[in-house]
Amino acid sequence: MALKGNLRDFSTTQLLNLIHLARKTGALTIQVPSGVTSLFFREGKLVYAATSGQDGHLTSMLARAGRLTEEQARGIRQHAADRSDKELAMLLISAGYLSQRDIVDSVRRDILETVYGLFAWSDGLFHFEPNRLPSEDVITVSIDLENIILEGSRRMKEWERLKDELPDLNMALKFTDRPQTQLRNINLTVDEWRVISYINPRNSIKQIAQRIGMDEFQIRKLVYGLLQVGLVEIVEPEGLPPKQPPVTEMVSRSPAAKRSVIHKLINRIKRL
Amino acid sequence: MQTVKMVITGPFNAGKTEFIRSVSEIEVVSTERKITDTSSRIKKETTVAMDFGRITVDNDLVLYLFGTPGQKRFDFMWEILSEGMLGFIVLVDSTRPETFREARQILDVFRTYADTPYVVAANKQDLADAWPVEDLRIALKIHPGVKVLPCVATDKESVKKVLLELLYSILETVPE
């Protein structure tokens, strides 16, 4: 089934979060005014990115990362025009020009810059194609999406949207109990750590912000990032008076009578 | 005569009227009006007050199904409709991601009205553009303990399954 839509309705951050949580494999293509970008994922991790407005040749990536000068990149490309990125990387490593680490870091940097560039766009068609992976010739890496999601949230320009996503600062936070959350692989900023230290169902988000001197916008932005990466979830603050149950005919009945009514309803609907 | 009710809510054009129509034993009492604002590009008429369907269980028990008005300017009706409900169903059009955020907001509003069980029904699953149910769960940030069910609101069997799943969820909350 299709996974497509517009960034207006489902942001890049939300898309990456979905791919991360569902551990998807495939290609996400996003069409924004600056061009078409394809992000490739294997089991929920980003492995490659390509954008129509940018030369994706390995030598260009190495030049952008400062590992080669423009002149060196041009020269290598001319002499090794028929080589794939992987073959070229092997040649550069064998010749002692660059280490494997230099190359992997440069590719990773390029992929990250491509994906971060997408966060600036709030409008653009997207489409996810399951199981489509990049060509065998290119160098792929494996990047956890948690940190990208956090960084993407930091870069999000649509401040108003934060308010939509987190409308009520009187709610509290608790650490998610989802077992796959890998706390060790997440790099938190100092401010994020400060918020984390106050996370407790007894503290409302507003109280945390007051305690550490953040304004509403700052706390919304920070909590939004933590929510998107799946570290925390929103809960009703503890210590509030319990909600009044609705006054209904059902409530006044005994549990046995309620169960009997529900069983009757089940049987009736089955017979429809 | 005892009457119980369930509420079917969700964004504009999610399929609430069709959902109730598929199982109601009476012609759905629906106050539909021609649309004059931008929503008219999506459908010609919408529910301005509420849908109202009925399933008679026996001489002593009747189930009413109430559909909330689809347009936001009628949200003042929601709290009135939710009063005394057994549970509620949030219907989402799986083909329109632009409505997912609104669906989530509606769900949050209804949860504040009453602490009753609910399920999310991913409607229009028969269409090629439908988002898969598990992707919808993530997109709408639905708690793992809440059921997100595939649904085709025009198909009676599909609607029955959603209603039954809600009833099973309600049953779990009632002590033995």
Side-chain angles (χ1 to χ4, degrees):
Chain A
M1 277 194 277
L3 186 62
K4 61 181 184 180
N6 194 303
L7 295 179
R8 267 198 316 267
D9 314 309
F10 207 72
S11 69
T12 303
T13 315
Q14 289 171 307
L15 276 171
L16 295 182
N17 193 42
L18 190 152
I19 289 164
H20 164 60
L21 292 176
R23 297 172 59 84
K24 285 186 178 291
T25 296
L28 174 68
T29 303
I30 303 181
Q31 195 172 349
V32 293
S34 64
V36 178
T37 296
S38 295
L39 306 178
F40 296 87
F41 303 88
R42 186 179 284 121
E43 294 192 351
K45 295 190 183 221
L46 180 64
V47 294
Y48 192 69
T51 188
S52 62
Q54 188 163 283
D55 179 2
H57 195 270
L58 178 63
T59 51
S60 302
M61 289 189 195
L62 292 168
R64 284 194 287 272
R67 302 287 181 189
L68 296 176
T69 64
E70 286 294 337
E71 198 177 338
Q72 285 171 325
R74 215 170 17 250
I76 294 170
R77 207 158 29 208
Q78 279 170 359
H79 285 93
D82 55 342
R83 305 269 187 187
S84 71
D85 279 4
K86 277 184 182 167
E87 289 170 331
L88 189 57
M90 290 304 292
L91 280 176
L92 291 168
I93 294 165
S94 313
Y97 289 123
L98 291 168
S99 67
Q100 184 181 356
R101 177 76 180 268
D102 291 334
I103 291 173
V104 170
D105 284 351
S106 302
V107 172
R108 177 188 294 268
R109 178 192 168 281
D110 222 69
I111 291 172
L112 287 174
E113 283 308 310
T114 301
V115 68
Y116 289 148
L118 290 172
F119 288 104
W121 299 103
S122 56
D123 198 329
L125 297 173
F126 66 80
H127 174 72
F128 185 82
E129 203 175 324
N131 302 318
R132 191 182 137 217
L133 286 167
S135 147
E136 290 284 328
D137 296 338
V138 300
I139 296 170
T140 57
V141 292
S142 182
I143 306 173
D144 283 337
L145 289 177
E146 291 102 325
N147 287 324
I148 296 179
I149 293 166
L150 269 179
E151 177 61 21
S153 299
R154 289 180 195 124
R155 296 184 182 208
M156 265 178 74
K157 300 275 171 65
E158 305 164 67
W159 309 131
E160 281 302 314
R161 197 158 181 166
L162 290 172
K163 207 167 177 179
D164 280 352
E165 299 285 349
L166 190 62
D168 188 358
L169 294 184
N170 291 313
M171 298 298 277
L173 297 170
K174 78 174 186 76
F175 289 106
T176 183
D177 43 18
R178 219 179 41 246
Q180 67 263 38
T181 301
Q182 299 267 330
L183 289 171
R184 281 176 307 166
N185 296 334
I186 296 172
N187 301 321
L188 296 171
T189 63
V190 174
D191 282 339
E192 282 161 349
W193 276 116
R194 288 168 69 207
V195 170
I196 293 263
S197 65
Y198 283 103
I199 287 180
N200 183 312
R202 288 191 300 274
N203 295 334
S204 71
I205 300 170
K206 191 180 270 180
Q207 286 169 328
I208 296 175
Q210 284 165 351
R211 197 79 58 86
I212 59 179
M214 279 188 176
D215 62 27
E216 280 200 7
F217 167 68
Q218 288 172 312
I219 192 78
R220 274 185 212 280
K221 188 178 165 197
L222 199 144
V223 171
Y224 178 74
L226 298 175
L227 285 168
Q228 288 298 315
V229 82
L231 266 179
V232 297
E233 53 192 79
I234 294 177
V235 291
E236 290 269 356
E238 285 179 6
L240 288 180
K243 280 180 191 169
Q244 291 297 312
V247 182
T248 70
E249 199 177 354
M250 290 292 293
V251 168
S252 62
R253 289 172 169 257
S254 69
K258 284 185 209 169
R259 290 185 75 85
S260 158
V261 165
I262 295 162
H263 279 299
K264 279 184 184 176
L265 290 168
I266 289 171
N267 291 332
R268 176 69 183 98
I269 287 170
K270 279 182 178 171
R271 290 199 313 273
L272 281 175
Chain B
M1 168 74 71
Q2 183 183 0
T3 60
V4 290
K5 75 173 174 185
M6 291 181 182
V7 170
I8 322 299
T9 188
F12 169 74
N13 199 36
K16 299 180 287 292
T17 305
E18 290 89 343
F19 186 98
I20 296 172
R21 192 170 282 156
S22 291
V23 288
S24 175
E25 65 195 18
I26 57 168
E27 191 59 34
V28 171
V29 181
S30 182
T31 320
E32 294 197 326
R33 289 283 181 273
K34 294 232 179 293
I35 298 170
T36 52
D37 63 15
T38 51
S39 306
S40 61
R41 283 187 306 226
I42 299 169
K43 65 178 192 175
K44 297 288 177 218
E45 291 187 331
T46 194
T47 308
V48 294
M50 60 183 179
D51 292 319
F52 174 67
R54 189 183 72 194
I55 298 171
T56 304
V57 177
D58 56 29
N59 288 337
D60 300 321
L61 181 60
V62 174
L63 169 66
Y64 289 117
L65 300 173
F66 289 89
T68 61
Q71 289 173 298
K72 216 171 168 66
R73 64 176 183 273
F74 297 104
D75 60 6
F76 64 90
M77 292 286 295
W78 296 354
E79 189 161 10
I80 301 166
L81 287 176
S82 67
E83 177 71 25
M85 63 186 170
L86 260 185
F88 65 96
I89 295 164
V90 182
L91 205 59
V92 186
D93 181 342
S94 312
T95 67
R96 293 179 59 222
E98 64 269 30
T99 65
F100 294 170
R101 187 177 297 118
E102 186 188 350
R104 178 69 227 191
Q105 286 166 349
I106 293 171
L107 195 162
D108 288 338
V109 170
F110 268 81
R111 284 182 65 198
T112 65
Y113 293 151
D115 188 17
T116 53
Y118 63 94
V119 297
V120 177
N123 192 23
K124 308 189 188 178
Q125 284 288 311
D126 54 332
L127 300 183
D129 283 352
W131 283 42
V133 170
E134 281 313 304
D135 288 346
L136 262 172
R137 173 188 290 282
I138 295 170
L140 292 170
K141 298 175 192 151
I142 305 296
H143 190 276
V146 175
K147 293 170 186 165
V148 182
L149 306 158
C151 177
V152 177
T154 50
D155 173 25
K156 186 176 177 180
E157 290 305 313
S158 176
V159 171
K160 276 170 61 179
K161 192 157 189 300
V162 173
L163 289 172
L164 285 170
E165 289 296 337
L166 175 58
L167 284 165
Y168 296 142
S169 295
I170 295 166
L171 199 56
E172 283 171 15
T173 65
V174 183
E176 294 274 0

